Amino acid sequence: FWGMFLVVEADGRPLFIRAKETRAMTDWKEHGIRIVRGNELDPNTPQTPGMTREAAITHARTGASKLWAGKVVVGPAVRSGAHHHGELETVIFIVRGHARFRWGEHLEYVADAGPGDFVYVPPFVPHQEMNARSDQPVEGVVVRSGQEPIVVNLDIPSPEPGNGDAAKDSFHSRE
């Protein structure tokens, strides 16, 4: 049995909450938990040079309707160009490696993240991801608040020393 909670009131004040027992009419085998194995990730998602994204949780694969999740790998000593993800909120969990993030109108703010750290990127925030090490990739789990793979490249030069931003690719739109 699975049910909803009903508030039972006495004299207009809540007395207690109890579960109303109802028989579920859902086929939980077909509409329950989905497992996407690590070797089943889908690379057919927008890419950025130096970064590899692979989708795990999408509407097409699992029936998810309000979020997208996948894996991202940033190659050693690689940095992306400045971009944002439109109205989407993004969370990145760093699994391995040492990431550096820049954000702001001129990418003037900087923070580093390592294994076990969560990174939150609010909607429309200009940012840049980098691998702060030259000897190993950064691996992370990405979760976004919507199904659209929005990536908008921005023409903001990086203040980070190096050889320049990664090249733009055909998946990314321009503002």
Side-chain angles (χ1 to χ4, degrees):
F1 292 102
W2 193 254
M4 55 197 304
F5 290 102
L6 298 176
V7 175
V8 179
E9 298 181 6
D11 299 328
R13 295 172 32 171
L15 181 62
F16 62 90
I17 298 175
R18 73 174 171 210
K20 177 183 175 188
E21 293 181 359
T22 59
R23 207 172 267 285
M25 300 304 289
T26 302
D27 178 355
W28 292 117
K29 181 168 177 59
E30 292 298 318
H31 301 286
I33 292 175
R34 298 279 193 265
I35 306 292
V36 177
R37 306 282 177 209
N39 64 354
E40 299 172 339
L41 302 181
D42 183 3
N44 189 23
T45 189
Q47 302 294 329
T48 300
M51 300 173 69
T52 303
R53 294 182 186 99
E54 295 179 303
I57 307 301
T58 65
H59 181 72
R61 297 180 65 113
T62 64
S65 61
K66 296 181 182 174
L67 57 83
W68 179 98
K71 177 181 175 182
V72 63
V73 177
V74 180
V78 169
R79 64 182 179 182
S80 72
H83 62 282
H84 68 73
H85 300 286
E87 64 190 23
L88 300 178
E89 293 178 287
T90 301
V91 173
I92 304 167
F93 175 75
I94 306 298
V95 175
R96 181 172 90 135
H98 183 81
R100 173 165 292 151
F101 296 87
R102 283 193 167 274
W103 72 95
E105 290 297 318
H106 304 286
L107 304 176
E108 64 270 28
Y109 306 107
V110 65
D112 291 350
D117 292 342
F118 286 85
V119 178
Y120 171 66
V121 182
F124 297 103
V125 170
H127 64 282
Q128 175 184 46
E129 295 101 336
M130 292 162 274
N131 185 334
R133 296 188 52 169
S134 61
D135 61 339
Q136 70 176 23
V138 171
E139 295 180 14
V141 175
V142 179
V143 179
R144 292 206 178 107
S145 62
Q147 289 286 312
E148 292 298 318
I150 299 170
V151 180
V152 179
N153 280 335
L154 303 170
D155 196 14
I156 302 172
S158 177
E160 197 73 19
N163 295 330
D165 292 340
K168 311 292 193 263
D169 66 34
S170 61
F171 281 102
H172 297 96
S173 61
R174 280 264 182 222
E175 258 192 352

